[in-house]
């Protein structure tokens, strides 16, 4: 594997990796639902970026290129391993997930239920805060298609992530139990007063 030319320094790439890698792994993980797959795809994307480092930095910010490559690698790997992923979905996530908060687990579960193109749009726009135009460029579709995907994904996520307590408020009212019978009224005997 060839590295950058002498005009680039390894520290430039190292700094870029340090600043961007964690967030990119999180984004690809959210898009795929598989942490190991996300880490592998991101690792490969950075290896490819290292080979083209001079050209990528000459063109400007290399982040969109690395992100696009990582997401494409993850999606194509997912397609090759479709049967394995179906088994994963059937049996649930592996028990050794790092201590994730319940709301994050619910979000990842909900994201898995989206179509891959909707999931990618949600991750890029809502989790990475990219503008719709940039999401369109990185995914190769029109801004209108991105808006449609986001709208459909938000609708699906909204129904999946509905607050269970809010659902309880909309349930039919539960019958109230019949009041308990009143105890018999006892009248105390009148006691004559002395004095």
């Amino acid at each position: 594997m060839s590295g950058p030319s002498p005009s680039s320094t390894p520290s430039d790439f190292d700094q870029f990796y340090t600043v961007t890698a964690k967030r990119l792994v999180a984004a690809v993980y959210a898009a795929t639902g598989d942490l190991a797959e996300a880490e592998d795809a991101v690792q490969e994307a950075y290896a490819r970026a290292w080979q083209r480092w001079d050209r990528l930095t000459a063109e400007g910010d290399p982040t969109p290129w690395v992100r696009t490559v990582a997401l494409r690698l993850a999606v194509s790997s997912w397609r090759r391993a479709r049967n394995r992923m179906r088994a994963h979905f059937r049996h649930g996530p592996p028990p050794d997930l790092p201590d994730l908060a319940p709301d994050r687990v619910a979000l990842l579960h909900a994201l898995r239920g989206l179509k891959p193109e909707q999931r990618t749009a949600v991750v890029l726009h809502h989790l990475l805060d990219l503008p719709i135009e940039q999401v369109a460029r990185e995914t190769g579709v029109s801004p209108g298609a991105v808006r449609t995907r986001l709208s459909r994904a938000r609708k699906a996520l909204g129904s999946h992530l509905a607050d269970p307590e809010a659902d309880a408020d909309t349930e039919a009212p539960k019958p109230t139990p019949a009041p308990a019978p009143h105890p018999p009224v006892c009248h105390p005997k009148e006691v004559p007063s002395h004095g």
Side-chain angles (χ1 to χ4, degrees):
M1 167 162 100
S2 64
S5 72
S7 63
S8 295
T9 64
S11 65
D12 292 342
F13 182 82
D14 292 344
Q15 182 180 5
F16 170 73
Y17 179 86
T18 301
V19 170
T20 59
K22 186 175 181 180
R23 190 168 187 204
L24 183 55
V25 168
V28 176
Y29 175 43
T32 63
D34 185 329
L35 183 57
E37 197 67 49
E39 290 171 339
D40 288 348
V42 168
Q43 176 83 15
E44 179 62 24
Y46 279 109
R48 292 181 185 187
W50 172 252
Q51 293 173 332
R52 301 162 178 79
W53 188 242
D54 283 337
R55 192 187 77 207
L56 290 175
T57 55
E59 293 172 357
D61 181 12
T63 306
W65 187 91
V66 175
R67 183 173 44 241
T68 299
V69 169
L71 285 167
R72 286 181 181 165
L73 287 168
V75 167
S76 76
S77 174
W78 180 83
R79 286 179 180 152
R80 284 191 309 270
R82 182 172 290 167
N83 289 336
R84 180 178 56 84
M85 292 301 289
R86 285 183 179 159
H88 171 77
F89 290 136
R90 218 173 309 139
H91 301 294
D96 61 345
L97 284 176
D99 301 306
L100 294 176
D103 59 337
R104 289 185 186 257
V105 172
L107 176 61
L108 289 172
H109 181 70
L111 285 169
R112 286 184 194 136
L114 297 177
K115 294 179 180 178
E117 62 274 4
Q118 291 174 345
R119 188 180 324 128
T120 300
V122 167
V123 168
L124 293 175
H125 183 65
H126 291 294
L127 297 182
L128 294 179
D129 296 322
L130 297 181
I132 286 177
E133 292 72 22
Q134 187 167 351
V135 174
R137 281 191 303 274
E138 290 189 23
T139 57
V141 298
S142 69
V146 172
R147 286 184 188 90
T148 300
R149 289 174 181 179
L150 289 170
S151 174
R152 290 178 180 163
R154 283 190 293 258
K155 184 176 180 182
L157 288 172
S159 65
H160 190 75
L161 294 173
D163 184 11
E165 291 178 15
D167 292 342
D169 292 341
T170 60
E171 291 177 6
K174 294 179 180 156
T176 57
H182 292 288
V185 178
C186 297
H187 297 287
K189 295 182 181 176
E190 287 191 29
V191 179
S193 62
H194 299 285

